Amino acid sequence: MIGAIVLAAGSSRRFGSDKRKATLPNSKMVIQQSVETALRCFNAVTLVLRYGDNEFSAELSFLINNPNLSIFQAPDSALGMGHSLGSAIQEVNNWEGGFVFLADMPHLQQATIHHLKETFTTNQTNNPIIAPTYEGQLGHPVGFAACYFDELAALTGDKGAKPVMHANAAKVIEVTVDDPGVLKDVDTPKDL
């Protein structure tokens, strides 16, 4: 199985309030839209929240109500994205690969995700790292074969998975997509 990890354990400092809860024009929260898109494309999705996000976790479980969603509160989330991803990757079992999503990127198109997943499956025997590019820029989500999970589990700090990609640059397959959503994150209210 290929699963998805949606990272939503950051502190939203630039946004001014909790951007995960900000409302999109379709009346859904940013985080809800991102998770629901991932759930339409994967049979297993792990949502990573901040440690102690108990009320929000319960709210999202009720709102999304999907048996394929598991919610994990990263114990070291305050130390950065690397810690959150490192903790979360240890929670998944029997995955042949995993795509790492950022919860503040709700504009991703499902067709793009399916294309990335298909590219992963086609190249699976080569242990790929799949990264979308739009207008020459690397975006998200990034897919990792399971052989990189130990490296992902060792991540610290706030750089996310970039060190794993750099260490295994020969295995990175860049997939050109026609979807600005792979780059468009929500950093300020005007990004909604």
Side-chain angles (χ1 to χ4, degrees):
M1 174 177 12
I2 301 164
I5 291 175
V6 182
L7 296 174
S11 58
S12 308
R13 284 186 194 97
R14 282 177 286 182
F15 193 80
S17 60
D18 192 341
K19 68 178 170 184
R20 303 173 303 172
K21 299 177 182 179
T23 306
L24 293 164
N26 67 2
S27 300
K28 293 188 178 185
M29 286 188 285
V30 169
I31 191 172
Q32 178 186 3
Q33 181 67 57
S34 297
V35 170
E36 287 177 353
T37 300
L39 282 165
R40 283 193 284 277
C41 301
F42 296 90
N43 291 325
V45 175
T46 298
L47 171 62
V48 187
L49 296 180
R50 301 174 194 149
Y51 187 70
D53 251 345
N54 300 327
E55 282 180 34
F56 195 36
S57 176
E59 180 186 347
L60 289 168
S61 292
F62 177 77
L63 196 62
I64 298 171
N65 190 22
N66 187 313
N68 295 331
L69 175 65
S70 61
I71 298 177
F72 172 71
Q73 295 179 37
D76 294 332
S77 58
L79 298 175
M81 189 190 306
H83 282 87
S84 297
L85 176 55
S87 297
I89 202 76
Q90 295 174 57
E91 296 296 308
V92 304
N93 295 307
N94 305 317
W95 287 12
E96 295 155 26
F99 277 80
V100 179
F101 287 74
L102 303 181
D104 68 352
M105 298 183 79
H107 306 291
L108 268 169
Q109 297 171 18
Q110 274 180 245
T112 300
I113 299 166
H114 285 303
H115 181 50
L116 295 170
K117 212 172 138 183
E118 192 176 291
T119 305
F120 182 94
T121 304
T122 304
N123 293 281
Q124 200 161 345
T125 54
N126 297 323
N127 295 320
I129 296 173
I130 304 296
T133 65
Y134 178 76
E135 295 184 348
Q137 292 185 69
L138 281 176
H140 286 89
V142 177
F144 294 88
C147 64
Y148 306 108
F149 285 6
D150 286 346
E151 288 178 69
L152 292 170
L155 290 170
T156 57
D158 205 27
K159 286 191 172 62
K162 283 191 178 113
V164 177
M165 292 177 73
H166 292 308
N168 301 283
K171 293 292 189 175
V172 175
I173 298 173
E174 295 184 10
V175 180
T176 302
V177 299
D178 187 22
D179 180 0
V182 302
L183 301 178
K184 191 176 178 190
D185 60 352
V186 174
D187 280 333
T188 65
K190 70 175 172 50
D191 296 330
L192 294 168

